[in-house]
Amino acid sequence: MDYKQIAELIASSSKVTPSKVYVQGRFGASDFDGAGFQVFGEGSFRILIGDYEAIRPWLAKRGKKITARFVEMDARYSALPLLDLRGVNARVEPGAIIRAGARIGKDCVIMMGAVINIGAIVGAKTMIDMNAVLGARATVGRRCHIGAGAVIAGVLEPPSRKPVVIGDRVLVGANAVVLEGVTVGRGSVVAAGAVVIRDVPPGVVVAGVPAEVIKSVGDIADPDKIRILDNLRGRKR
């Protein structure tokens, strides 16, 4: 999908409030006929799962039957569901948010608080670190590291036809920002806190605001500063 199709999908989607409602009361079997949401449990205790806008009128109608209730909401008027992680062949830590339509490669690591939007692509064995953000249609190659708090811009707002493309084996430092339409070449390093506003050639280090080439990757004195650790990737059990 291009940016216009994604924007239209979000604008035209039904906005739902995913909820779990725990209820205790005096219920008959007919109370749940044609409810419009999922019901689990039996007897006096039930768990209702679905859009709160479907559950709310059911609760109001049976107020006298309900002796206790508790409501959990995962979102409010959400336009798109989260990605079904059952089909993801990677390590995804608690608190990561991945929207439906994103693609996560084999043996990736998605850390706590990372946000990956619709249409984003993450290549195999890439780590998206804590609180990093990948905007809509952002593309990250294989064996990369996107540092904590980094932002790889999307294409929706402000709109851009060309997504950010991060090549293979690229390191993006903590709190760096790569703006719309930029391509970062294979094996390059974006220093922490840099703001990248133009394309980066392969095999160089960029730093600053706006980011500029400061040296070749081969000139880095301590190779450990840019080493990818394979033992952090994979799903060994």
Side-chain angles (χ1 to χ4, degrees):
M1 292 186 292
D2 64 22
Y3 76 100
K4 290 182 179 179
Q5 290 172 314
I6 293 174
E8 177 58 27
L9 175 63
I10 293 171
S12 62
S13 67
S14 297
K15 310 305 189 288
V16 300
T17 300
S19 304
K20 292 181 184 177
V21 180
Y22 304 85
V23 291
Q24 191 163 346
R26 301 177 297 276
F27 305 120
S30 62
D31 282 317
F32 302 99
D33 290 344
F37 48 82
Q38 292 182 291
V39 181
F40 299 89
E42 58 184 16
S44 63
F45 178 74
R46 304 297 176 101
I47 303 173
L48 318 179
I49 299 178
D51 184 2
Y52 190 69
E53 297 309 307
I55 297 173
R56 179 167 56 182
W58 186 95
L59 295 172
K61 187 175 179 179
R62 290 161 182 83
K64 292 182 178 180
K65 292 185 174 184
I66 298 171
T67 57
R69 72 179 74 183
F70 181 78
V71 179
E72 289 182 357
M73 291 182 179
D74 296 328
R76 187 63 166 154
Y77 299 133
S78 179
L80 295 171
L82 298 181
L83 183 67
D84 184 351
L85 296 180
R86 291 176 295 179
V88 173
N89 207 2
R91 176 159 64 93
V92 180
E93 295 294 347
I97 298 173
I98 307 174
R99 302 293 288 274
R103 288 163 45 194
I104 309 299
K106 183 178 179 181
D107 292 337
C108 288
V109 179
I110 312 299
M111 293 296 287
M112 299 80 72
V115 177
I116 301 176
N117 208 350
I118 182 173
I121 299 171
V122 182
K125 294 190 175 182
T126 282
M127 180 182 288
I128 308 299
D129 216 332
M130 294 181 292
N131 299 317
V133 176
L134 270 59
R137 292 183 63 219
T139 298
V140 180
R142 300 166 60 92
R143 297 190 81 246
C144 296
H145 183 107
I146 306 301
V151 176
I152 310 300
V155 296
L156 289 181
E157 193 174 64
S160 172
R161 290 179 176 82
K162 181 179 179 296
V164 172
V165 176
I166 306 294
D168 295 343
R169 298 175 180 267
V170 167
L171 274 72
V172 176
N175 297 314
V177 177
V178 182
L179 294 184
E180 295 85 354
V182 167
T183 295
V184 179
R186 176 185 171 91
S188 285
V189 176
V190 176
V195 177
V196 184
I197 64 172
R198 60 180 67 91
D199 289 353
V200 175
V204 299
V205 180
V206 297
V209 181
E212 301 288 348
V213 176
I214 60 172
K215 58 184 168 183
S216 168
V217 167
D219 294 332
I220 295 175
D222 183 0
D224 278 348
K225 289 185 176 181
I226 60 170
R227 188 156 60 96
I228 295 293
L229 301 178
D230 285 329
N231 62 351
L232 295 180
R233 288 145 172 86
R235 294 161 291 107
K236 185 177 179 180
R237 293 176 177 85

